[in-house]
Amino acid sequence: YLSVREALKHAALYYGVDVEIEWISSTDLEKTEDVAGALKDADAVIVPGGFGSRGVEGKIRSARYARENEIPYLGLCLGLQVMVIDYARNVLGLENANSAEFDKMTEHPVIDLMTDQKGLDRLGGTMRLGLYPCHVLENTLAGSLYNQDIIDERHRHRYEVNNEYRKMLEEHGLVFPGQSPDGMLVEIVENKQHPYMIACQFHPEFLSRPNRPHPLFLGLIQAACRRKGLPDQII
């Protein structure tokens, strides 16, 4: 997570503020009933990427807490997937919605392998790896952050948002402003009912530089500053 830490520093430097990073183990959040106690001092929450089921329920709890308490949230890769899982479970009411990566028997696999991936028996063959283009929709948070129609971002993941649930999610306020050029793959998700809750299937931290902070991290720091009540001239 070194690159995530540095991307936060790049964005904070741009706005002339310091960023204090507190690392919270998602496995600890699984064990406690006091999620609010663990996150109450956070001005923003990042759920970074990862593989496997360890700590996933804690990450889903983090996404839910940020959503319900309007805390700025940025999800990176798996952070997008847990944001969708929380929304499916706790807004749409799809009990036990999950990723097929973590529960192959789930009734609602809102995150799943794409159909053309399921016939591949080698894990490397199912991974979307490297630079891919993404079409960003206008009049969205993502559109305002990037201010361009086509972006290229680096990927390293296997599972995708299940297209069978996209319409249902959109009808309840979760929108998909970033998609593959053919519209078949979700690249960015945002909660239009939240001040700043956005997640991406790619890894924006890999493209952040001290003299060129990444737009998604800039947006997160700006939202955190506003939540903290810093003067407008600072941000």
Side-chain angles (χ1 to χ4, degrees), residues 3 15 22-23 30 32 38 58 64 70 79 83 103 131 135 145-146 153-154 179 181 190-192 197 213 215 218 226:
S3 53
Y15 284 117
E22 180 178 356
W23 300 95
E30 289 184 334
T32 181
R64 180 177 185 177
E70 297 192 339
M83 176 178 163
D103 181 2
L131 205 66
H135 178 235
L145 292 170
Y146 278 100
E153 295 279 2
R154 290 172 59 181
Q179 303 173 21
E190 64 186 53
N191 182 345
K192 66 180 182 180
M197 190 166 199
L218 283 173
R226 285 178 174 158

Side-chain angles (χ1 to χ4, degrees), residues 2 4 20 28 34 42 65 71 92 95 113 117 130 132 135 141 155 168 212-213 217 220 227-228:
L2 174 63
V4 176
E20 295 181 5
D28 291 342
D34 188 20
Y65 183 83
I71 298 174
L92 273 62
E95 188 176 356
L113 289 173
Q117 294 174 306
Y132 284 84
H135 178 235
L141 174 58
H155 294 65
M168 189 184 307
R212 192 176 66 251
F217 284 89
L220 183 73
R227 177 179 174 82
K228 203 167 182 65

Side-chain angles (χ1 to χ4, degrees), residues 50-52 77-78 80-81 98-104 109-114 117-118 123 126-128 155-162 185-186 201:
F51 289 92
C77 198
L78 181 58
L80 175 146
Q81 297 176 8
N98 213 330
S99 167
E101 179 182 6
F102 312 132
D103 181 2
K104 296 186 183 304
V110 293
I111 306 295
D112 201 359
L113 289 173
M114 294 295 97
Q117 294 174 306
K118 292 183 178 179
L123 288 179
T126 65
M127 181 173 283
R128 195 145 63 101
H155 294 65
R156 189 175 186 271
H157 71 278
R158 184 169 292 115
Y159 287 78
E160 311 277 356
V161 174
N162 189 337
L185 298 174
V186 170
Q201 191 64 83

Side-chain angles (χ1 to χ4, degrees), residues 22-42 44-48 53-67 69 71 73 82 89:
E22 180 178 356
W23 300 95
I24 298 175
S25 171
S26 57
T27 55
D28 291 342
L29 292 181
E30 289 184 334
K31 301 171 186 176
T32 181
E33 295 300 320
D34 188 20
V35 175
L39 299 177
K40 63 181 176 62
D41 294 328
V45 171
I46 293 181
V47 175
S53 60
R54 182 175 179 269
V56 162
E57 291 299 322
K59 295 172 185 177
I60 295 171
R61 285 183 165 193
S62 298
R64 180 177 185 177
Y65 183 83
R67 175 177 56 80
N69 293 276
I71 298 174
Y73 174 95
V82 299
R89 288 181 184 179

